[in-house]
Amino acid sequence: KMSKEKIKLNSEKINKRESRIKVLKLGLLISTVFLIVIFFLLKVVYGQGPFTISLDQNFAKKSGIVIYDNSTVKEFRRILEAGKLEFMDNISIRWIPDNIDTEAEGAHNGNNYIAYTFFIENNGNENLTYWAELVIDDVIRDADEAVRIMVFRNGEKKIYAKRNSNGEPEPDTIPFYSDQYVYIEPRENFYPNDVDRYTIVVWVEGDDPDCINDIIGGEMKMHLEINEEHVQK
């Protein structure tokens, strides 16, 4: 017959084993929940494509500001989305059409570049100022090292790029405002019935020395916020 001491010892072993199993199950549950949360966060971030434009809802209600991407139909929306590209190879700025700002409205992507034209209109009754903030949401594999963002506002062109490895601006570009923002810019004296036309063009510049094999497979997610004022985040 099994002694009381052996029965007690076996009982302790069983209890310890069951405790370890419970801890393991709890750990797996927590890990699963964490992965689900990460999945949905990434889906929110990347589900709308690499570039979107959003209008602050409270600002829109108070000011009468509207955004749209078709000047004929003028379908007002809070979020506009540029078209997606499944793959973007590096190109030269010389390959982008000279009339990229005026050739079309809405999404008019080309071979290896994203192009999107939209409008901001003051439908209110007051002169106002709005802030346009191009926010960098996420960067994978240092894709921002060779990305260029060309911004037209009412025909005026500016090209933005991350500083090179020596901390100097890339040729013929304006450096990113920070690691979080491409640019932050106020639009003053925006009178009733005024309309600003924007075209945003994004590509990977093949002439950039940082355009190397290490960034292959990289991604960069951005969105343009239209706000009443800039609040440093």
Side-chain angles (χ1 to χ4, degrees):
K1 293 183 180 179
M2 189 177 292
S3 66
K4 291 183 179 180
E5 289 77 8
K6 188 173 289 187
I7 293 173
K8 182 179 179 181
L9 184 60
N10 288 339
S11 177
E12 289 177 352
K13 286 183 177 179
I14 292 172
N15 289 336
K16 287 180 180 179
R17 185 174 61 191
E18 289 180 348
S19 297
R20 285 197 297 269
I21 292 173
K22 287 180 180 179
V23 170
L24 180 60
K25 286 182 177 179
L26 181 59
L28 289 173
L29 178 61
I30 293 173
S31 298
T32 302
V33 172
F34 177 75
L35 290 174
I36 291 173
V37 170
I38 292 298
F39 170 78
F40 280 105
L41 285 175
L42 290 174
K43 189 173 182 181
V44 168
V45 172
Y46 286 98
Q48 293 181 318
F51 179 69
T52 57
I53 300 96
S54 61
L55 174 63
D56 180 82
Q57 195 167 8
N58 293 330
F59 179 43
K61 289 180 180 178
K62 182 171 66 173
S63 66
I65 287 274
V66 295
I67 60 174
Y68 50 89
D69 61 7
N70 187 316
S71 60
T72 302
V73 178
K74 290 189 177 183
E75 181 182 348
F76 305 150
R77 286 179 283 170
R78 195 181 71 81
I79 296 178
L80 302 174
E81 180 181 342
K84 297 180 181 180
L85 288 180
E86 294 300 324
F87 176 77
M88 185 184 292
D89 201 354
N90 66 87
I91 60 173
S92 168
I93 187 175
R94 297 185 298 273
W95 300 5
I96 296 174
D98 293 335
N99 67 337
I100 191 71
D101 178 37
T102 58
E103 68 174 5
E105 298 177 1
H108 47 110
N109 300 339
N111 190 18
N112 294 309
Y113 65 83
I114 292 171
Y116 190 75
T117 297
F118 65 98
F119 304 86
I120 302 176
E121 182 173 338
N122 185 353
N123 271 1
N125 300 313
E126 296 181 3
N127 173 26
L128 52 85
T129 296
Y130 71 79
W131 287 78
E133 305 169 1
L134 188 49
V135 184
I136 301 171
D137 296 304
D138 194 21
V139 176
I140 297 175
R141 296 184 65 86
D142 296 324
D144 58 336
E145 297 290 345
V147 164
R148 297 289 188 273
I149 301 102
M150 184 187 299
V151 180
F152 293 87
R153 191 184 79 184
N154 300 329
E156 180 183 353
K157 179 177 71 174
K158 296 179 180 178
I159 301 175
Y160 298 87
K162 188 175 181 179
R163 293 180 182 271
N164 63 30
S165 56
N166 295 325
E168 298 296 324
E170 296 288 355
D172 303 316
T173 69
I174 301 171
F176 287 176
Y177 180 84
S178 68
D179 290 338
Q180 186 177 2
Y181 294 96
V182 172
Y183 77 90
I184 299 172
E185 190 172 277
R187 169 56 162 106
E188 300 175 329
N189 297 319
F190 195 48
Y191 292 96
N193 301 317
D194 277 356
V195 179
D196 283 346
R197 177 191 175 103
Y198 283 84
T199 296
I200 311 289
V201 186
V202 183
W203 74 99
V204 178
E205 179 53 60
D207 292 333
D208 191 315
D210 292 315
C211 185
I212 56 179
N213 289 339
D214 289 347
I215 70 171
I216 292 176
E219 295 182 39
M220 184 173 179
K221 168 73 176 178
M222 298 177 289
H223 74 278
L224 183 70
E225 293 183 354
I226 309 301
N227 299 314
E228 181 177 11
E229 59 181 338
H230 169 66
V231 179
Q232 187 67 46
K233 297 177 182 178

